[in-house]
Amino acid sequence: MIELVHLVKRFGDLVAVNDVSLTVPRGEFFALLGPNAAGKTTTIKILVGLMKPTAGTARVAGFDLQRQPLEARRRLAYVPDFPFLYDKLTPREFFRFTAELFRLGAAAGQVEAWCARFHLGEYLDKTIESLSHGTRQRVAIVSALMHEPEVFILDEPMVGLDPHHARVLKDVLKERARAGVTVLVSTHQLSVAEEMADRIGIMHQGRLIAVGTREELRRRSGTHGDLEESFLALTAQEANFTEETAARTL
Amino acid sequence: MSSAAGNSPGLLRLLVQTNLRQGWRRLRALREQSRLLSALIVLFLAGYAALAFKLFQIGLRFAGSFPGLGPVLIERMVFLLFAFLFVLLLLSNLVISYANLFRNRETAFLLPLPVPPEIIFRWKFIESVLLASWAFVFLVAPLLAAYGLHAGVPWHFYPATLGFIALFIVLPGAGGAWLAVLVARWLDRRTFQVVALALAVGVLALAAHYLRPVQMTEEQLETRVLVVLDSLLARTRFALFPLLPSYWLSAGVQQWAEGALAAALFFGLVLLSHVLFFGTLLFTRMGRVFYDAASVVQSRGRALGRWGWFRRWEAWRRHTRARRGPLETLLGAVPGLAPDVRALVVKDLRLFWRDTTQWAQTLVLFGLLAVYILNLRHFSTQLTNTFWVTVVAYLNLGACALNLATLTTRFVYPQFSLEGKRLWIVGLAPLGLPRVMLAKFALGTTISLGLSLGLIVLSCRLLHLPWDRTLLYAGAITIMAFTLNGLAIGLGVLYPNLKEDNPGKIVSGFGGTFCLVLSFVYIVGSVLLLAFTSPWHPAGAYRTGTWVAWGVFGGISVLLGWLPMRWGRRRAAQFEY
């Protein structure tokens, strides 16, 4: 479960995340959408402990990222858009490294199954530097799944994946969510959110302007088309509202 | 946090093991990739060690030959050397720790994992100390070997010295890591640039003032040797400050060499106690501070943004940014400079200026050379013998050329590779890669020639050389600038590394090492050739041999600069990306 309570993040004068409160319960697939510079990546960075919030709290699986960071991180997996991997290690060695980091011991045996699922078998003993971007992405995903996280956060996970492996990942994410894992995906691919998410959150200029199912967002935006239409309408409404407020203040 | 870190000793071992494996594979890949490179590196290292050992030995023998003064001079030189190296190590640790802790992808990868920040900090501290100190160990090893031989020390001096050095390098490492965290926590890029520039200018001014010569009369030099010596050594007394770690190292090593083992052991224990104290502090208390600083680095607003005047200035800049900046305006005034080349030059200059670690090193390098050359004005009044005037002039030429080679290898060579994954941006533009290469060559040559020419002309004027000799040295450095830039750009295109963003790592590959070795050999060969064929009296006539030597020098320069450029241009024209 993910909980954000009145989360604020300032970069000097700029408010990157503005009073965001959100609860993503266990077993939910949540998609975080928003235009560029909306505050999605900053929110994720706070959620994975890369950054401290200016105010508010972020909890993962019931653990406060600031007070009990290690407990939270043990239950968390994060795959960034361009994941870091040790270039001179082979995927097999990298998985062993991850298993030891998480002290998995025998439980790490499941890695074989994940590798088979993501078709990594033939690459296991090649150095990571020789792998394509998509294959590296699959290595990062498998390494994130190894410790069976309670919360799985992915930033643009489909980038670099071919259609076949994008499908595999979508299936895995759905299965994980059904098994009780909280999945949060930040993406610009509205089709991914539309197809998979139980609920969708839209961020704009640091604020979480709308949260709900596809149907709820459609009603709220007053549109009848697909998610793209709802998204554009909601962000446009918000932009107009911000401009009017600014004009009134002046 | 601390207890969590205490419970995770295996994690540190795991990180060390993983990175050792990576390092070993990199070395092996290098060997497999090019046996020539491996042989070249080994040869260069062995050659340096042998040459340095020989030079130190000659130097020590020379200093020791002054009756009664020799041991005092040698002792003070050892103190001085380690004091300067301590400061350099501190700076080096600061730069490397900052990059390693706050700009490193491994650190960003580890932070969201269940690895306590203490463990990440410990590993990065160890890595930074090793990266920052290996060159120091490599530099002082021949010196200490020569010193041991000169002092006739017993065998156990060498392992004991190794122990002293192992303890010593931890202290500037600790200071550098602590400073890096402080810088990250409190200074943004702009503030750091201003502070670094101000500090560099301040240090250079202080050095120029502190190292000014003392005027002595002939009578004093002949009759009051002790007074003269005392005033000479007074300027170096700062190296004897007993709270400097370099003092403990120098004193320990020298006491051991003299057989005063108890006193040497005392300094060893002083070093050990400080290492343990600061090491414990770093290992147990810095994790949280490091995490806070890492978070601040990612959340940085403008440090100066709290002041109204800065915000107004920023607003003005935003308003005027739509217009051409001063750099574009300045370059726009250069006749014949095409807009596409100008755009490329402006881009390269902006990127260079915005990466403080790049220009800060240049500043230190040329600043130290400027201090040395400015001090020539005092030194030259003592030079009445024309032989020594010529020797100093050629030494200046050598120093400026070596500085130039450092500049071209470190900054010009990686220019093409630094386009990296963005190479297609300039590659697909209508100007084409060969023209990109020429633009980079022109930019590198203009800047490096401007700096080197200024220094060489200044040094010639301070040595009161006639204008024709000044022109001769200026001509030599101009030819060298074209050659070294051509070599660096050409090899940079022939051996590109488009995967790496760090210029330091690009330079450490085959092409960079090859460029450095070729530049070094070219400079030493050229300076020796020109020096031994030139008339030793500044007013002496040029001989036939002089002109022949200049012909050979010119021919080699053209070949060494032009051939790599030609091959590079051909490669650039057919480049696949």
Side-chain angles (χ1 to χ4, degrees), chain B residues 277-300:
Chain B
F277 176 70
F278 288 109
T280 309
L281 272 187
L282 280 182
F283 269 40
T284 57
R285 292 284 172 265
M286 283 298 278
R288 189 77 219 175
V289 186
F290 152 66
Y291 177 72
D292 289 348
S295 175
V296 168
V297 167
Q298 304 225 31
S299 327
R300 180 83 73 204

Side-chain angles (χ1 to χ4, degrees), chain B residues 177-346:
Chain B
W178 181 72
L179 280 174
V181 172
L182 271 188
V183 165
R185 179 72 183 80
W186 298 109
L187 303 180
D188 69 346
R189 182 178 63 86
R190 176 61 57 83
T191 324
F192 178 69
Q193 284 179 337
V194 173
V195 171
L197 258 178
L199 271 178
V201 171
V203 167
L204 288 178
L206 200 71
H209 172 75
Y210 194 76
L211 296 175
R212 72 189 187 281
V214 180
Q215 295 295 328
M216 294 286 168
T217 61
E218 286 291 325
E219 189 251 329
Q220 279 177 316
L221 285 170
E222 281 168 18
T223 57
R224 306 184 68 186
V225 179
L226 280 179
V227 175
V228 172
L229 183 72
D230 188 53
S231 99
L232 177 75
L233 294 181
R235 289 288 162 83
T236 60
R237 210 164 279 154
F238 68 91
L240 296 180
F241 183 58
L243 293 182
L244 270 179
S246 60
Y247 175 83
W248 309 329
L249 171 68
S250 315
V253 166
Q254 292 184 86
Q255 300 280 12
W256 201 290
E258 286 164 16
L261 297 189
L265 215 58
F266 166 76
F267 286 112
L269 289 174
V270 172
L271 272 173
L272 179 66
S273 59
H274 281 82
V275 166
L276 290 177
F277 176 70
F278 288 109
T280 309
L281 272 187
L282 280 182
F283 269 40
T284 57
R285 292 284 172 265
M286 283 298 278
R288 189 77 219 175
V289 186
F290 152 66
Y291 177 72
D292 289 348
S295 175
V296 168
V297 167
Q298 304 225 31
S299 327
R300 180 83 73 204
R302 289 181 176 277
L304 299 177
R306 72 190 76 149
W307 288 301
W309 64 267
F310 185 79
R311 286 201 297 272
R312 281 194 295 279
W313 183 66
E314 283 282 283
W316 177 79
R317 279 194 66 187
R318 265 197 299 276
H319 175 67
T320 56
R321 207 164 269 169
R323 296 204 296 261
R324 284 175 13 160
L327 192 60
E328 279 133 315
T329 312
L330 187 73
L331 288 170
V334 178
L337 189 64
D340 52 358
V341 175
R342 185 177 64 220
L344 194 71
V345 169
V346 168

Side-chain angles (χ1 to χ4, degrees), chain B residues 509-573:
Chain B
F510 173 75
T513 313
F514 194 44
C515 183
L516 183 71
V517 173
L518 277 182
S519 305
F520 186 75
V521 171
Y522 163 70
I523 288 167
V524 172
S526 301
V527 173
L528 286 177
L529 177 74
L530 295 180
F532 281 108
T533 54
S534 82
W536 287 92
H537 192 285
Y542 297 115
R543 303 185 301 256
T544 317
T546 311
W547 299 117
V548 172
W550 269 83
V552 173
F553 166 61
I556 292 172
S557 302
V558 168
L559 279 181
L560 201 67
W562 177 71
L563 276 181
M565 279 294 281
R566 186 183 149 85
W567 293 331
R569 260 179 75 91
R570 203 179 296 161
R571 173 92 201 266

